[in-house]
Amino acid sequence: MKFFVDTAILSEIEELNDYGLLDGVTTNPSLIAKSGRDFKEVIAEICAVVSGPVSAEVAAMDAAGMMAEGDRLARIADNVVIKLPLTLDGLKACRHFTAKGVKTNVTLCFSANQALLAAKAGATFISPFVGRLDDLNLDGMALIRDIRTIYDNFGYGTNILAASIRSANHVKEAALAGADVATIPAAVIKGLASHTLTDKGLDQFAKDWAATGQSIL
Ligand code: E4P
């Protein structure tokens, strides 16, 4: 499963990229607002650091506006992916970009039927929001499983991008459910490496090694 980081904060992206843990980046208008940065500027800076897909979301609500904004965003760098809302207008814009060979990420997906429509529109990525469904006491991961089954039934090439991931358990469950990608907050990605028994074992090894008085170099 590929890992995208869900942030517009460049320092977080650079740190994870240095660890070799990053396959791409997703942003949304809320994350851009949180970064306090100019949208187009920060997308250009992210694309200079990360060679994988970088999602940049349109703000327009109508298809023509989305197409104009998407065209502008696509000019920033070759790895920009145009993020479009799962509305009829968003699907129309998705079809337009797919026909032009521009990659798309159809976002705010909360049902299997919405995901089916995105695949039919030729979306590169579909973003089902796991955490926001869980927030309503619904089963976000069941949606990932349903979409996996539907896409496999018909051989759709749209990549399932598990979004609104909030915990390490979400990451594991998304991998088990067959998501192609998970977009994950930076702190959650870093937390995946932690285990108390790893820390305890390392501490013991360090003490025992020191007692040998040896040096490797
Ligand atoms: C990613 O594309 C989504 O915008 C993001 O994962 C939403 O996460 P949230 O529900 O935690 O805001």
Side-chain angles (χ1 to χ4, degrees):
M1 185 172 70
K2 291 188 174 165
F3 278 15
F4 291 178
V5 66
D6 200 22
T7 185
I9 297 171
L10 198 64
S11 56
E12 293 186 341
I13 294 165
E14 285 171 333
E15 184 187 9
L16 288 165
N17 198 49
D18 281 351
Y19 286 123
L21 290 174
L22 220 50
D23 299 300
V25 178
T26 53
T27 65
N28 65 34
S30 307
L31 293 171
I32 295 294
K34 193 174 160 195
S35 77
R37 297 285 317 277
D38 175 83
F39 181 28
K40 294 192 289 284
E41 241 176 58
V42 79
I43 293 294
E45 287 174 25
I46 295 170
C47 289
V49 170
V50 177
S51 56
V54 175
S55 289
E57 188 159 343
V58 299
M61 298 290 169
D62 64 301
M66 291 178 200
M67 289 176 202
E69 290 180 357
D71 280 338
R72 176 65 189 88
L73 294 170
R75 285 205 301 275
I76 295 175
D78 287 346
N79 54 332
V80 168
V81 172
I82 307 305
K83 203 169 175 191
L84 301 156
L86 212 156
T87 59
L88 289 172
D89 281 70
L91 293 168
K92 186 174 178 180
C94 177
R95 170 60 59 202
H96 160 85
F97 287 115
T98 300
K100 287 172 59 162
V102 174
K103 290 192 171 130
T104 53
N105 174 359
V106 177
T107 190
L108 290 167
C109 170
F110 294 96
S111 79
N113 282 330
Q114 287 182 317
L116 183 53
L117 290 177
K120 289 175 74 64
T124 314
F125 298 99
I126 179 68
S127 288
F129 277 38
V130 172
R132 292 191 195 188
L133 284 167
D134 287 0
D135 289 345
L136 300 179
N137 279 333
L138 297 168
D139 186 351
M141 217 48 77
L143 175 58
I144 304 288
R145 287 192 291 274
D146 284 352
I147 299 171
R148 179 75 283 153
T149 301
I150 290 168
Y151 282 10
D152 289 350
N153 281 349
F154 297 97
Y156 288 123
T158 298
N159 292 280
I160 302 172
L161 198 176
S164 190
I165 292 286
R166 309 266 177 80
S167 65
N169 203 42
H170 271 161
V171 177
K172 181 187 80 176
E173 292 296 328
L176 285 169
D180 299 290
V181 190
T183 188
I184 314 166
V188 175
I189 296 182
K190 285 165 69 179
L192 297 178
S194 297
H195 200 288
T196 326
L197 292 177
T198 305
D199 295 343
K200 199 176 159 197
L202 199 56
D203 193 44
Q204 187 63 51
F205 287 159
K207 280 187 188 130
D208 291 346
W209 176 250
T212 70
Q214 297 182 50
S215 153
I216 294 175
L217 297 176

